[in-house]
Amino acid sequence: MRGPLGAVIGRYTSSDGSDKDGIIKHNRKCRDITFLVIFIAFWVSMIVNSSFGFNQGNPLRLTYGLDYEGNVCGSSHRHRDLAQLELRYWLNPNQVYESGLKDGETTLANARTICLLDCPEPSDDTLSWVCDYPDGEIRLKMDDWIDRNYDYFEFLTPEMRNSSLQLQGPCYPLIFPSVNVYWSCQYIARASNSSLRHWEQMGGVSIQEDMIIDKSIRRSVNSRASVLKRYVADVGKSWPVLIVCGGLVPLFLSIVWLLLIRHFVAAMPWITVVLFNTLLISVTIFYYLKAGWIGDDAVTPIIGEHDPYIHVYGRERTHVRIVALLMTFISAVAILTSIAIIRRILMATSVLKVAAKVIGEVQALIIFPAIPYAMLAIFYMFWLSAALHLFSSGQVVENNCNNTNCCAYDLVLKKVNCEHCCGYSIRYTPHITVAIFFHLFGCYWATQFFIASSATVIAGSVASYYWAQGEEEASPEIPFLPVFASMKRLARYNLGSVALGSLVVSFVESVRFILEAIRRRTKVSGTRPDHWLGRMGYYTSRGCLKSVEWTIKSANRNAYIMIAITGKSFCKSSAIATELIRNNIMRIGKVNVIGDVILFLGKLCVSLFSALFGFLMLDSHKYRSSHNKVSSPLLPVLACWALGYVVATLFFAVVEMSIDTIILSFCQDSEENEGNAQHAPSLLLETLDSNHEEEVTDDRFHTI
């Protein structure tokens, strides 16, 4: 049977029999050390894992393609400088055509590609050429080759010209116009009649003009792997947006929200609810704009100026439209829910007043979240850089092709070469996939660890405030800097417990993610249960797992409070907190839930503000053209929202943990004093009494 905690979290008798040892300064010892060791070992593994990415990866691979030599466009190489040449262009139109056929021998990965500065256009009155990189007898510098629009056909020997007429290079006819689609020159199946006529007059081989000419390029650009790479690259390109909208904006808004809670607590629940719905609708409208359903500012895969009559399909717009519909549904549910909780907002005001009083007494609480915020900011910068390198850490290898259709003139060997003429691609081994998932899990665990540490420090500070109430000369009993005293206790005794709690949440969330991925895969493959009983179990398991996740997060939060107060292990503290809540659920349940709802809406307000600012920054010219263009605002905006929510969680924990700590302390205080809490602030007693009277009134109303 658990003993009273009054001697633990209030005054207690020191070794000499006096009461001079203060508050929450009892004999503690380190808890859950094993999990602290595991956490440290995990960090070492994260560093080793990241070093592999930094050594093998190149984030430019996520954006730009490879040429026929295996070089990444847009980057400098030992024997060829392609830093200015960002666009991938397929030289041989017949190879592109054959790669679009179902039974074609050539794949697009083996078609001959080079890197260009811009996508070439056919001439109206003559035949233009796009020639290979100048080498051998072609003594042109790369800059001169670019200035000549990649055409040195006039310098070719008769043998080279004959080879070019056979579509074996080194020069290739410019028959089809092309447009820059995500740094690849997409063929437009609209051959230039003038260029084609000149080609035929020169005795060139037949060139296919079918609509299928652009099929394989379009399919390659819109493949799932290519879209995923572009999404990851978008996050890397928009790092200034992440710093401003995912770091500075939520930092400012969170501090403002805490100050408003401190001074205008009565109006904040109403402001929060109205602002949440307004922001949700605003973000939804932005998604409608980018989906092309409102205005003409839709997401487009074409980069730079182009013929307005040319339309190219991109998966990114489809994804934006799906999110727009999802946001519409969420907005409708949010508005209806806000109307439903109007009656309870006054109760939330009373709860927030208690937290505001605590913040007023322990003012360092407003500043403290800046410490875990700074630590998380440094971690995220390192993590994002490592993630970009890990995602691009595949090996560039030459493809295996068993046909002779890749033969091309070699300017160095001075002959048509059919050996080693296959293209290059990036191969990802299974251990890279494991490394990426390990990196993602590490990010989530580290985030939960910092949030849990911050919550534990705040709980210890607020507990000092609560248990000093009702004592003679109460104020001197609160340590000069309770926040720093709580930080010291955390660092010295409780880091292992915090590591365990954050690991439990991360593990459950990871299991849920894996099961959700399996569910989506089975849904796509059509293997979902057909029988109604199977479907019921299928969806029930999903709901149960989500409920378990929410319960564990809630239990963890209360466990951190008892860790800060009692110094016990994570499991023991969780059991104590659960017993306290179970014994007092009828008295505190509704108050706590309503307060949590308002705080959750406040976090969403900050994160939605961050997303809205992200949309505005990404809509600037810098991110709509040139090499900084983001393929879609979807992932950067989602990252801004997630970062904004994490920052808001750190700062809103001041209010959230203040309420929870005071309520748990009140429960224990009541148990030790036969239902009459001796240390509870008068404002808390008024809130709980008014809530009890309202429940009695509601019960009578239902009885009638």
Side-chain angles (χ1 to χ4, degrees):
M1 182 69 181
R2 175 173 58 86
L5 296 179
V8 175
I9 52 183
R11 286 178 171 273
Y12 66 93
T13 303
S14 63
S15 57
D16 60 358
S18 62
D19 288 344
K20 296 181 180 179
D21 285 345
I23 303 167
I24 317 184
K25 289 185 180 178
H26 61 293
N27 295 325
R28 297 191 176 210
K29 63 179 181 179
C30 295
R31 305 286 186 177
D32 300 315
I33 300 177
T34 302
F35 292 95
L36 179 59
V37 173
I38 292 174
F39 184 70
I40 294 173
F42 187 87
W43 269 86
V44 173
S45 302
M46 281 278 290
I47 294 173
V48 173
N49 190 52
S50 300
S51 64
F52 166 78
F54 285 120
N55 185 46
Q56 299 291 330
N58 180 4
L60 290 177
R61 297 175 185 169
L62 300 173
T63 300
Y64 307 119
L66 304 176
D67 67 5
Y68 71 89
E69 295 177 332
N71 300 318
V72 180
C73 296
S75 61
S76 297
H77 299 271
R78 185 173 61 244
H79 64 287
R80 205 178 296 284
D81 185 8
L82 305 176
Q84 296 180 345
L85 310 179
E86 300 177 342
L87 307 186
R88 177 176 51 173
Y89 179 75
W90 285 267
L91 290 168
N92 192 331
N94 277 359
Q95 285 183 339
V96 175
Y97 174 82
E98 289 182 15
S99 66
L101 299 174
K102 290 183 179 180
D103 54 351
E105 294 182 354
T106 303
T107 62
L108 192 65
N110 291 321
R112 198 170 184 84
T113 59
I114 61 173
C115 302
L116 303 180
L117 184 64
D118 50 13
C119 292
E121 290 290 329
S123 175
D124 293 332
D125 52 5
T126 186
L127 177 62
S128 299
W129 300 81
V130 177
C131 300
D132 201 348
Y133 302 128
D135 257 329
E137 295 181 354
I138 307 300
R139 304 188 182 280
L140 282 177
K141 295 181 179 179
M142 290 291 287
D143 291 339
D144 296 332
W145 174 65
I146 295 172
D147 292 339
R148 295 179 60 87
N149 292 323
Y150 326 107
D151 185 355
Y152 52 74
F153 184 79
E154 61 182 278
F155 301 142
L156 299 185
T157 64
E159 180 186 2
M160 294 179 186
R161 293 194 178 196
N162 182 62
S163 174
S164 297
L165 292 175
Q166 301 300 315
L167 287 180
Q168 292 183 335
C171 292
Y172 297 82
L174 187 52
I175 304 297
F176 297 94
S178 58
V179 63
N180 182 358
V181 176
Y182 297 134
W183 299 275
S184 292
C185 291
Q186 166 77 61
Y187 276 29
I188 305 299
R190 191 174 60 200
S192 168
N193 294 328
S194 173
S195 298
L196 197 59
R197 185 171 62 253
H198 280 88
W199 170 258
E200 292 172 349
Q201 291 174 354
M202 294 178 67
V205 298
S206 175
I207 292 180
Q208 303 293 338
E209 303 178 60
D210 197 274
M211 290 290 293
I212 205 171
I213 191 71
D214 67 347
K215 179 179 178 181
S216 58
I217 297 179
R218 185 174 66 249
R219 188 168 55 205
S220 173
V221 169
N222 287 298
S223 67
R224 291 183 178 180
S226 298
V227 173
L228 177 60
K229 287 181 181 179
R230 287 198 296 270
Y231 278 158
V232 175
D234 289 344
V235 177
K237 293 176 189 175
S238 57
W239 64 265
V241 178
L242 299 184
I243 292 176
V244 174
C245 302
L248 300 180
V249 169
L251 172 64
F252 172 76
L253 293 175
S254 297
I255 293 176
V256 168
W257 198 88
L258 287 180
L259 293 175
L260 290 175
I261 281 288
R262 172 72 182 90
H263 299 286
F264 304 99
V265 63
M268 282 309 295
W270 300 97
I271 294 174
T272 300
V273 172
V274 173
L275 192 60
F276 166 69
N277 288 284
T278 303
L279 288 170
L280 200 57
I281 294 173
S282 301
V283 171
T284 303
I285 291 174
F286 261 97
Y287 275 113
Y288 271 75
L289 287 170
K290 294 304 176 182
W293 290 336
I294 299 178
D296 55 355
D297 193 27
V299 171
T300 174
I302 302 177
I303 301 174
E305 297 182 358
H306 61 281
D307 187 338
Y309 294 101
I310 295 178
H311 299 282
V312 179
Y313 167 76
R315 277 196 177 190
E316 283 79 357
R317 185 182 295 189
T318 302
H319 295 165
V320 170
R321 288 180 173 178
I322 293 173
V323 175
L325 293 174
L326 179 63
M327 291 296 296
T328 303
F329 173 76
I330 294 174
S331 299
V333 173
I335 292 173
L336 295 175
T337 304
S338 300
I339 295 173
I341 66 171
I342 286 179
R343 289 185 59 207
R344 302 297 180 184
I345 290 180
L346 290 176
M347 187 187 303
T349 302
S350 302
V351 176
L352 292 176
K353 283 181 179 179
V354 177
K357 181 174 176 58
V358 176
I359 296 174
E361 294 287 344
V362 191
Q363 297 183 3
L365 285 174
I366 297 180
I367 305 173
F368 162 72
I371 297 175
Y373 167 84
M375 293 180 177
L376 264 180
I378 296 172
F379 168 74
Y380 282 149
M381 286 188 285
F382 162 79
W383 183 89
L384 178 59
S385 178
L388 292 173
H389 283 81
L390 277 173
F391 268 93
S392 59
S393 58
Q395 294 182 342
V396 178
V397 296
E398 186 176 6
N399 299 327
N400 293 321
C401 54
N402 299 320
N403 62 79
T404 59
N405 197 31
C406 70
C407 297
Y409 194 92
D410 192 319
L411 289 171
V412 177
L413 299 177
K414 300 180 183 180
K415 66 175 184 178
V416 174
N417 183 19
C418 295
E419 296 180 1
H420 303 292
C421 61
C422 301
Y424 284 79
S425 59
I426 301 175
R427 298 278 175 84
Y428 292 92
T429 56
H431 76 272
I432 295 178
T433 304
V434 174
I436 291 173
F437 279 106
F438 183 83
H439 197 65
L440 293 172
F441 179 80
C443 177
Y444 194 79
W445 189 6
T447 301
Q448 292 298 322
F449 178 82
F450 282 112
I451 292 175
S453 299
S454 177
T456 305
V457 170
I458 294 170
S461 305
V462 175
S464 298
Y465 163 81
Y466 179 91
W467 291 95
Q469 304 299 310
E471 302 280 355
E472 295 181 2
E473 300 180 356
S475 295
E477 284 296 328
I478 302 178
F480 173 67
L481 289 176
V483 174
F484 290 101
S486 185
M487 288 175 61
K488 181 179 178 181
R489 290 193 298 272
L490 170 70
R492 187 171 179 181
Y493 302 111
N494 305 126
L495 284 178
S497 300
V498 171
L500 173 56
S502 56
L503 175 61
V504 171
V505 174
S506 303
F507 179 76
V508 172
E509 184 69 15
S510 299
V511 171
R512 193 177 73 85
F513 174 80
I514 293 172
L515 292 179
E516 182 67 14
I518 295 174
R519 182 191 70 84
R520 290 179 179 275
R521 183 158 300 223
T522 55
K523 182 178 180 180
V524 171
S525 61
T527 57
R528 196 169 45 174
D530 295 327
H531 193 268
W532 69 269
L533 193 59
R535 288 197 301 270
M536 184 178 69
Y538 180 76
Y539 289 109
T540 302
S541 61
R542 288 181 58 204
C544 290
L545 193 61
K546 186 67 177 176
S547 300
V548 168
E549 177 198 352
W550 180 86
T551 303
I552 287 178
K553 285 185 177 181
S554 178
N556 274 12
R557 195 170 67 192
N558 294 320
Y560 298 143
I561 295 172
M562 301 312 296
I563 288 171
I565 294 175
T566 67
K568 296 185 181 298
S569 66
F570 173 80
C571 296
K572 182 65 175 177
S573 297
S574 181
I576 294 173
T578 302
E579 183 180 349
L580 283 173
I581 293 173
R582 186 177 66 245
N583 293 340
N584 297 271
I585 188 66
M586 298 303 295
R587 192 171 187 183
I588 66 170
K590 190 178 292 186
V591 174
N592 205 16
V593 169
I594 294 299
D596 285 348
V597 168
I598 297 300
L599 290 170
F600 176 66
L601 293 182
K603 296 175 192 176
L604 290 179
C605 284
V606 172
S607 58
L608 287 171
F609 248 122
S610 301
L612 200 59
F613 272 84
F615 263 123
L616 294 174
M617 287 191 67
L618 291 169
D619 210 34
S620 62
H621 177 73
K622 177 181 179 180
Y623 298 105
R624 292 165 62 93
S625 60
S626 186
H627 62 278
N628 282 323
K629 175 182 170 67
V630 295
S631 63
S632 169
L634 195 60
L635 205 60
V637 167
L638 181 62
C640 289
W641 178 87
L643 290 173
Y645 189 84
V646 170
V647 173
T649 299
L650 288 174
F651 282 85
F652 282 39
V654 172
V655 178
E656 197 169 24
M657 295 303 292
S658 295
I659 295 173
D660 290 347
T661 303
I662 287 178
I663 288 178
L664 274 180
S665 299
F666 169 81
C667 293
Q668 178 60 34
D669 196 5
S670 298
E671 285 194 5
E672 292 184 7
N673 295 282
E674 299 180 354
N676 297 316
Q678 299 297 318
H679 299 268
S682 57
L683 189 58
L684 176 65
L685 293 174
E686 293 174 5
T687 301
L688 294 175
D689 291 341
S690 62
N691 175 51
H692 180 68
E693 292 175 2
E694 184 178 343
E695 287 182 350
V696 172
T697 303
D698 289 344
D699 291 341
R700 290 177 179 175
F701 175 78
H702 290 304
T703 301
I704 294 174

